[in-house]
Amino acid sequence: MGTNTEMDKEKVFREYPVPKALRIMVVPAVISQLIVLIYNMADTFYVGQTGNPYMIAATSLILPVFNISLCLAGLAGVGGGALISRLLGQGREDEARRTSVFSLYLAVLIAAAFSLGIGAFMEPILTLLGAGENTYEYARQYAMCVIVFGGIPTVLSNALANLIRSVGRSREAGAGIILGGLLNIALDPLFMFVLLPEGYEVLGAGIATALSNGIACLFFIAVLVRMGKGSVITFSPRAGRASKESIIAVFAVGVPSAIATLLFDLDYVIVDKLMVSYHDLALAAVGVVLKVERFPLNVGIGICQGMLPLVAYSYGAGDHKRMSETIRLARKLGLVIAAGSIVLYEIFSGQLVRIFLSDPQAVSMASGFLRIRVLATPLMFLSFFTVYLFQAFGKGRISLFLGVTRWLGFNIPMLFILNYLVGMYGIVWSQVTADILTVALSFYVMHRFGPKKGQAG
């Protein structure tokens, strides 16, 4: 059995009123999501201060590869975390502990393999990504820091955040992510403009990112030490080997989560590629919009991350009433925030985009784009909310179907179709159009395949 503190943490799953439990789990997850978003913008801001377009281009080239490492973290963390919460709901604490060991070593293994692969094939990979004579060395410096040397801490810290949240410790999970984000914001200018000479700003940004992720990883390890030897989340092989059923369950949810995240990033890449054919200012405008629109989306993701362990535990315990109440309240919260974001963005779109843009034409386009794109916010929330629910239920095939259909069946084809039929503004309207179809499909799938009353996980 776990320690008394560990058992106290499980009260959030069993005893606290649902609104209180959801608040305890959701608030740290939302704050950490916003901090991550801000520090990602800060990286872009600081590199932009160099005035060197090749440095900016080089860091942008590495972003898709860095995002793959976050997908790998999701494979182990989301898949393992969802299963651990369900197992705790079933009273199978020993198997939950064995699952945590498997998930943590899986995270380390895949991160190490990915980092070694990038290091060994750096030149052809960077060339494939589009690095040229002026950007290659900057891209290599950044990749060596954040992926080759910083890959394991980055993947492990994100996986640990998911696993620690799965046992009710959302505050500690959020604190580690927030710590890494704030450190990155503080260390970027220190390494870029103070400690390293001029011309090495990208290297400085890379060192700052790797160092902050490493410290966040050490924070999570310290959390595990404080949780004690009886903790469900542990590195100790003495816990034993996870069952074949559990290993399959980790991959069944983790792989769809990783694929969905990759397709999400691919959608953004395609938006940029299509928009560049119209005008450089249009590309700049949509690039800002894709960043600004992430604020309500990341809040929604934080709500889903906090909700998932609560739903998974209740599902595993067969507590349909508590599970349904959690789902209803989380969905209502996400929709209220999405509606509020529509009001704010419709009124203040011009002021928001002027933070990033100064050209009047670019500001005009970006504010128009934002007013259209924000209309999709409640639809996007409902889309990934349903995917998170099926992850909580352990139904990986259905979450994979919904994720792949959303991006490859609706969103990405709609980009090309509306771009061809309408032009530049067709690209902007594609999200709303595609997600109407996605939400309709999600409601049908939830009604058809969601858990029925009395059904336990």
Side-chain angles (χ1 to χ4, degrees):
M1 295 295 293
T3 63
N4 290 334
T5 303
E6 199 75 359
M7 295 303 292
D8 288 344
K9 283 296 179 182
E10 276 197 48
K11 288 182 180 179
V12 75
F13 295 133
R14 294 180 282 105
E15 299 177 18
Y16 290 168
V18 169
K20 180 179 180 180
L22 202 59
R23 173 175 56 80
I24 290 171
M25 295 296 290
V26 162
V27 170
V30 167
I31 294 173
S32 65
Q33 279 292 315
L34 292 178
I35 292 294
V36 167
L37 184 61
I38 291 169
Y39 98 69
N40 283 338
M41 289 185 176
D43 273 357
T44 303
F45 172 79
Y46 285 130
V47 175
Q49 296 305 297
T50 64
N52 187 329
Y54 301 122
M55 289 185 176
I56 299 169
T59 53
S60 298
L61 285 173
I62 301 304
L63 185 59
V65 185
F66 182 72
N67 286 340
I68 291 174
S69 67
L70 298 182
C71 293
L72 297 176
L75 192 159
V78 175
L83 176 59
I84 287 168
S85 296
R86 291 198 306 277
L87 290 170
L88 290 176
Q90 296 166 2
R92 300 170 61 193
E93 186 175 315
D94 289 340
E95 184 60 23
R97 188 174 292 108
R98 289 191 287 268
T99 298
S100 79
V101 174
F102 171 77
S103 299
L104 288 173
Y105 283 104
L106 174 65
V108 172
L109 181 62
I110 58 180
F114 185 70
S115 296
L116 289 172
I118 296 296
F121 301 100
M122 179 77 73
E123 185 173 352
I125 289 172
L126 293 184
T127 302
L128 180 64
L129 291 171
E133 181 181 349
N134 296 310
T135 58
Y136 178 85
E137 183 55 29
Y138 296 133
R140 188 191 68 81
Q141 291 173 1
Y142 197 65
M144 287 295 292
C145 291
V146 302
I147 298 172
V148 177
F149 294 116
I152 292 178
T154 298
V155 171
L156 187 55
S157 61
N158 279 274
L160 278 166
N162 280 288
L163 296 179
I164 289 171
R165 190 183 297 115
S166 75
V167 296
R169 293 178 173 267
S170 188
R171 181 182 296 178
E172 290 90 335
I177 298 297
I178 291 168
L179 173 65
L182 292 178
L183 277 174
N184 204 357
I185 293 170
L187 293 177
D188 265 347
L190 178 65
F191 279 94
M192 291 173 67
F193 305 118
V194 178
L195 297 179
L196 295 182
E198 186 176 348
Y200 289 89
E201 288 85 355
V202 170
L203 178 62
I207 292 172
T209 300
L211 188 58
S212 60
N213 286 331
I215 294 172
C217 187
L218 291 176
F219 171 85
F220 283 124
I221 292 173
V223 169
L224 293 191
V225 172
R226 288 187 61 190
M227 287 165 68
K229 293 182 179 180
S231 170
V232 170
I233 310 302
T234 177
F235 276 99
S236 175
R238 294 178 184 174
R241 184 180 299 177
S243 69
K244 181 179 178 181
E245 179 187 30
S246 293
I247 292 171
I248 292 172
V250 169
F251 284 105
V253 170
V255 170
S257 172
I259 292 174
T261 305
L262 278 173
L263 292 176
F264 182 91
D265 292 327
L266 177 62
D267 181 73
Y268 273 34
V269 169
I270 292 173
V271 169
D272 284 342
K273 294 295 184 184
L274 291 176
M275 196 62 78
V276 76
S277 64
Y278 290 98
H279 198 285
D280 287 343
L281 290 180
L283 178 62
V286 82
V288 166
V289 168
L290 294 180
K291 288 183 173 66
V292 174
E293 74 173 10
R294 288 300 298 263
F295 279 96
L297 295 181
N298 277 43
V299 171
I301 291 171
I303 291 170
C304 291
Q305 287 180 339
M307 170 206 69
L308 188 151
L310 295 172
V311 172
Y313 186 98
S314 295
Y315 178 71
D319 190 344
H320 190 275
K321 181 181 178 181
R322 186 175 178 87
M323 181 188 76
S324 298
E325 187 181 352
T326 303
I327 292 171
R328 282 195 302 270
L329 187 56
R331 183 165 51 213
K332 181 179 179 180
L333 177 62
L335 289 175
V336 167
I337 290 172
S341 72
I342 292 177
V343 174
L344 289 174
Y345 281 16
E346 293 293 342
I347 296 173
F348 299 109
S349 62
Q351 292 91 325
L352 288 168
V353 299
R354 284 191 188 95
I355 297 172
F356 302 93
L357 295 168
S358 57
D359 183 273
Q361 187 179 351
V363 168
S364 176
M365 278 193 290
S367 58
F369 291 169
L370 184 57
R371 289 191 182 101
I372 295 169
R373 290 276 301 189
V374 74
L375 297 175
T377 305
L379 299 170
M380 293 183 76
F381 171 74
L382 289 172
S383 297
F384 55 69
F385 183 83
T386 310
V387 171
Y388 270 85
L389 285 180
F390 279 104
Q391 289 174 355
F393 303 148
K395 299 188 177 184
R397 279 192 220 169
I398 296 177
S399 65
L400 177 61
F401 168 76
L402 288 173
V404 170
T405 303
R406 180 186 182 192
W407 299 113
L408 296 185
F410 297 143
N411 285 57
I412 292 174
M414 198 64 71
L415 279 170
F416 289 100
I417 292 169
L418 291 185
N419 178 50
Y420 176 77
L421 294 176
V422 183
M424 181 174 70
Y425 276 89
I427 299 172
V428 183
W429 276 104
S430 65
Q431 190 73 58
V432 177
T433 310
D435 274 340
I436 289 173
L437 300 174
T438 303
V439 169
L441 175 65
S442 297
F443 281 158
Y444 169 76
V445 171
M446 189 66 188
H447 176 74
R448 178 74 174 79
F449 300 103
K452 305 300 186 287
K453 191 169 184 178
Q455 179 182 354

